[in-house]
Amino acid sequence: MPRRLRPVGLDFVETAPVRLVFAQEMSAPPERVFHALNDDVPGWAEWFAAVTHAESVDDGAGRDIRLKGGGRFRETIIAAKESEVYAYRVDQTNAPGAHAIAEEWRLVPSGGGTRVQWTFAVDGTAPFRLAVRVARAGLGRAFRGAVAELDRRLSR
């Protein structure tokens, strides 16, 4: 992965030039959702269809992620607060034009389940930012499908 990205903190999720925010309800409680996000990194490949490989690295401080289509990401966890938030930044990627990427999964109790809000925050070249904006609908579908599949798995 030849491209090193600018290291960003959790504040980048709110200040990034491009922010895509999606939300969906789940029947699983926040504790179980957080466990799936934080403690079972390899499991991401089972419920997030775009993910082909997910591995915890650096004694749990980071992740190595591969996506369908060849995308690769080396990430650092920037927030992991039990039952509330799980966030990471991308440190290295093969995505052309990216300068900074962070993602946040915010968990809010909702009835007996969880409202999951995913924020995809990026900075990069003008063509990269445009490509992310154009991909909004597809990213939303991927998020909704992943959350629905995770909810099915957690309901077993």
Side-chain angles (χ1 to χ4, degrees):
M1 285 182 279
R3 290 176 187 81
R4 284 197 159 300
L5 303 189
R6 182 174 80 242
V8 294
L10 193 56
D11 60 324
F12 182 74
V13 172
E14 298 298 325
T15 63
V18 178
R19 296 175 61 248
L20 304 181
V21 181
F22 307 95
Q24 184 163 317
E25 301 286 325
M26 293 180 66
S27 60
E31 300 77 28
R32 294 196 65 205
V33 178
F34 181 82
H35 170 72
L37 296 173
N38 184 66
D39 302 333
D40 185 17
V41 173
W44 283 62
E46 297 172 12
W47 56 266
F48 205 125
V51 176
T52 62
H53 172 84
E55 178 182 0
S56 184
V57 296
D58 301 327
D59 294 322
R63 304 167 1 136
D64 182 48
I65 303 292
R66 294 185 196 141
L67 303 179
K68 287 183 180 172
R72 296 188 65 178
F73 304 90
R74 177 58 70 115
E75 303 168 340
T76 295
I77 308 303
I78 56 176
K81 187 170 181 185
E82 181 78 31
S83 306
E84 291 182 28
V85 64
Y86 181 73
Y88 43 89
R89 71 166 182 249
V90 175
D91 296 316
Q92 296 177 16
T93 184
N94 62 351
H99 294 165
I101 302 172
E103 299 179 40
E104 177 191 70
W105 295 72
R106 178 110 4 220
L107 311 175
V108 178
S110 178
T114 305
R115 180 179 185 272
V116 179
Q117 178 178 294
W118 177 51
T119 302
F120 184 66
V122 304
D123 189 11
T125 62
F128 177 78
R129 292 190 316 264
L130 177 62
V132 170
R133 286 184 182 108
V134 168
R136 179 182 186 81
L139 288 167
R141 278 191 302 278
F143 166 74
R144 288 187 298 277
V147 169
E149 180 59 27
L150 179 58
D151 202 22
R152 277 192 289 281
R153 289 176 179 274
L154 295 178
S155 296
R156 293 181 189 164

